[in-house]
Amino acid sequence: MRLIHNIRILPYTGVNARSFSTSNVNNGSLPLVPLWINGQSTTSSTGGTVIHKHPKTGKETCEVTVAGEQETKEAIEGSKKAFEEWKDVSGWERKGILQNVVKILKDRSDTFTEALRADAPFSDIVIAGDQASSAHLTDGAANTAISLEGTIPQTKDGSFSMVLRQPFGPTLSIPAFNYPLTLALRSIAYPLACGNTVLLRASPLLPQFYQLLNPLFEDAGLPKGVLQTLNFSDKDVPKRVEQMIAHRDVKMVNFTGSVRLGKILAAQCGEYLKPSVMELGGKSVAIVLPSADLKLAANNILFGAFLNSGQVCMSTEQVLVHSDIAEEFEQILKQSAEEPNWGEGMEMIRPGSGRGAKALYDNAVKNGAKVVFESASANSSSSSSSFPSTILSSLSSSTSLSTEESFSPLLTLHTFHSIPSIHDHANSHATGLTSSIFSKDLSEALELAKKIESGAVHINGMTIHDQHNLPHGGWKESGWGRFNGQGAIESFTQTKNVRIANPTMLPLSAIYKGL
């Protein structure tokens, strides 16, 4: 055991997996999900409790303790107090803690899986991919902790200046629900790696999953108070979030989610002059050029469109095809879509998502869209929480689906007669998170990639991709700031110029001469 700044950091040697099933039970038979404030779980709150229901079955799964104004205040104060010590912990110690998180995570994979499935429907491939991705990004964050570097710039007067990178302080992190472990750990690990403390707003869709995060980090060696986890009720969440953004001790905001909510939070950050990282949604396009391997393109596009029922901010939403190969590609895309057994409806996490997808579908078909493929009839198999995987073409520009992110298994096919018209359409969207280009002519693809207004362009690969040494974030209404590597350092630290001046007596009497 080592003692650094009074923080006990133990090398991980195999902590027993904490049980998913909480011992806290309400007067009925439902598990009672706590708040985590200053290293303690608590089920006593001025905010009371709410009942969570599974989006697919509608059954009550747990009772959730929600934070009121007082608990939120206590969490902020505790986060500030913890920051005073955490900011001085060395990058090597922070790295060790985050590496412990990765190790413990492997031991508890079944526990996290059980909690996720208790909260919402997730497929095996999404859970496996999510766990692998979360471990990869957290390991990357561990390396980020020892990569914070300043500079020593030249000065004109011979003084010595150091430009330091230092943490902001308590950070409000609000991750999205759709790739739960990856997005939750990313929103915690990168701020921590850079020396910030974290106030985590738990997703109301996954309460039992989020209660596992504080024990995970505590067992990895994270000091009490460095991570606070708060549940909010739907009716109070606007007040509680603004309470946090407005508080002088909350120094920055980190949000992953929809453009609509991002704009609301960005406006509040502007009002209180708080820096922010906004990783918002997109309308990701996949471009298929005449020289493309059409089977490869079809395969990658379908995977990128329907993975996690289309509930990924990087999901492929539109396919832009050159007219020279449009007819052939449509047939290959349809044949490729018919091969898997998609099932009647793809389950989604947010209640009412099936109805939302159905409304977009109905509006498109009403305005002339052609159904190229659907795994089942949209009229017979869609429900409040599911919708069949569907491909549409001949989409009118007046429909909502042409511009809005569907966040569902809806893919649209568009034909263009020239590369300039393809890139004009790709750039016409208000968002720009990620995109794909399929072409065997890499020179042509690279030239087009430079013109696409998007945070990432993947040549001959699907739109969904993330890794810890590549900056991740959007252009335009897809947000600002970056996760991963140097991008995370720039987002979660601020610069400070420290200058050692040459001792010089200044001519006070000259100040007023000539006035």
Side-chain angles (χ1 to χ4, degrees):
M1 180 185 77
R2 292 166 290 170
L3 191 65
I4 304 293
H5 299 291
N6 297 319
I7 294 174
R8 299 170 68 241
I9 300 176
L10 297 168
Y12 175 70
T13 57
V15 177
N16 291 332
R18 297 205 188 193
S19 172
F20 150 65
S21 299
T22 175
S23 59
N24 297 309
V25 179
N26 64 9
N27 292 329
S29 59
L30 294 177
L32 184 56
V33 174
L35 303 168
W36 286 89
I37 300 176
N38 298 325
Q40 301 295 323
S41 67
T42 177
T43 56
S44 175
S45 170
T46 60
T49 63
V50 296
I51 299 298
H52 175 70
K53 295 182 179 180
H54 196 283
K56 180 180 180 180
T57 65
K59 293 182 178 179
E60 296 181 350
T61 61
C62 62
E63 186 174 1
V64 184
T65 309
V66 295
E69 182 178 359
Q70 179 60 33
E71 291 74 30
T72 303
K73 180 174 178 287
E74 290 173 5
I76 295 170
E77 291 171 348
S79 191
K80 180 191 177 185
K81 183 179 179 180
F83 174 68
E84 293 307 313
E85 189 167 356
W86 179 247
K87 65 183 173 62
D88 293 325
V89 173
S90 75
W92 289 98
E93 297 298 325
R94 296 198 297 269
K95 176 182 178 180
I97 290 171
L98 292 174
Q99 286 179 324
N100 282 346
V101 169
V102 176
K103 294 171 184 175
I104 299 171
L105 203 56
K106 293 178 181 178
D107 288 348
R108 299 186 185 174
S109 60
D110 290 345
T111 303
F112 276 93
T113 297
E114 184 185 357
L116 275 180
R117 290 205 162 125
D119 283 332
F122 283 94
S123 68
D124 291 342
I125 191 172
V126 168
I127 290 174
D130 185 30
Q131 291 185 349
S133 172
S134 64
H136 171 76
L137 292 183
T138 305
D139 191 49
N143 290 323
T144 297
I146 59 169
S147 301
L148 276 69
E149 296 177 346
T151 59
I152 302 177
Q154 295 187 39
T155 58
K156 65 179 182 179
D157 61 355
S159 61
F160 181 81
S161 280
M162 298 174 287
V163 179
L164 310 178
R165 298 211 72 101
Q166 294 187 309
F168 285 94
T171 297
L172 170 58
S173 286
I174 309 176
F177 64 88
N178 50 302
Y179 222 54
L181 195 54
T182 295
L183 298 181
L185 290 186
R186 185 183 73 175
S187 74
I188 299 168
Y190 280 113
L192 293 184
C194 293
N196 304 282
T197 52
V198 173
L199 294 147
L200 181 69
R201 186 260 166 141
S203 170
L205 300 174
L206 305 169
Q208 297 178 96
F209 162 80
Y210 270 81
Q211 73 161 323
L212 300 177
L213 295 174
N214 270 81
L216 169 67
F217 279 85
E218 179 183 315
D219 290 344
L222 190 70
K224 294 182 183 300
V226 176
L227 173 63
Q228 317 265 1
T229 302
L230 299 174
N231 310 306
F232 297 133
S233 66
D234 287 343
K235 68 180 181 65
D236 285 342
V237 65
K239 288 187 291 186
R240 297 287 75 81
V241 169
E242 185 166 9
Q243 176 188 352
M244 299 177 84
I245 295 175
H247 199 288
R248 62 178 295 175
D249 291 332
V250 175
K251 300 301 185 182
M252 74 167 297
V253 177
N254 155 33
F255 173 72
T256 298
S258 70
V259 172
R260 181 184 67 82
L261 288 178
K263 288 181 177 181
I264 294 171
L265 293 174
Q268 291 179 353
C269 289
E271 180 180 354
Y272 298 105
L273 290 177
K274 298 294 174 75
S276 62
V277 174
M278 294 282 163
E279 199 265 79
L280 310 180
K283 190 73 177 171
S284 298
V285 300
I287 296 168
V288 185
L289 299 180
S291 68
D293 180 331
L294 300 187
K295 290 186 177 180
L296 173 71
N299 172 272
N300 278 242
I301 287 168
L302 291 171
F303 200 97
F306 299 145
L307 177 66
N308 201 21
S309 304
Q311 301 168 113
V312 183
C313 59
M314 297 177 280
S315 289
T316 309
E317 293 244 344
Q318 291 191 348
V319 188
L320 316 182
V321 189
H322 197 284
S323 57
D324 288 357
I325 44 96
E327 185 176 345
E328 181 184 3
F329 179 73
E330 181 175 326
Q331 289 301 313
I332 292 174
L333 186 68
K334 182 179 180 181
Q335 290 168 4
S336 298
E338 289 170 344
E339 290 174 3
N341 180 17
W342 301 105
E344 291 191 351
M346 289 195 158
E347 293 296 333
M348 291 180 278
I349 310 306
R350 198 163 41 201
S353 292
R355 288 191 296 269
K358 181 67 161 55
L360 291 171
Y361 171 92
D362 288 344
N363 177 253
V365 172
K366 180 181 177 181
N367 284 277
K370 169 190 169 186
V371 177
V372 175
F373 167 81
E374 54 185 353
S375 59
S377 170
N379 292 317
S380 63
S381 64
S382 60
S383 68
S384 63
S385 65
S386 69
F387 194 80
S389 49
T390 302
I391 304 172
L392 300 173
S393 66
S394 305
L395 193 69
S396 169
S397 60
S398 64
T399 62
S400 300
L401 187 56
S402 66
T403 56
E404 292 181 13
E405 181 183 25
S406 73
F407 217 62
S408 66
L410 280 168
L411 178 67
T412 60
L413 193 58
H414 308 257
T415 301
F416 298 89
H417 295 290
S418 67
I419 293 178
S421 61
I422 288 176
H423 109 252
D424 286 346
H425 180 85
N427 290 343
S428 69
H429 294 310
T431 55
L433 183 58
T434 184
S435 55
S436 287
I437 299 172
F438 292 90
S439 172
K440 292 178 182 176
D441 186 336
L442 293 184
S443 177
E444 176 185 60
L446 285 169
E447 188 63 30
L448 179 56
K450 289 187 289 185
K451 298 176 182 178
I452 299 298
E453 296 171 349
S454 176
V457 182
H458 305 284
I459 296 174
N460 293 326
M462 68 172 173
T463 55
I464 301 174
H465 183 81
D466 193 14
Q467 64 185 66
H468 72 71
N469 59 332
L470 298 178
H472 177 74
W475 285 25
K476 302 186 290 186
E477 290 188 7
S478 286
W480 51 77
R482 293 293 182 267
F483 289 97
N484 305 340
Q486 185 61 32
I489 293 172
E490 292 170 1
S491 292
F492 294 105
T493 63
Q494 53 193 331
T495 58
K496 178 184 287 183
N497 174 30
V498 178
R499 175 176 168 266
I500 303 173
N502 288 322
T504 303
M505 298 298 290
L506 302 175
L508 293 175
S509 61
I511 290 176
Y512 287 99
K513 286 184 178 181
L515 294 178

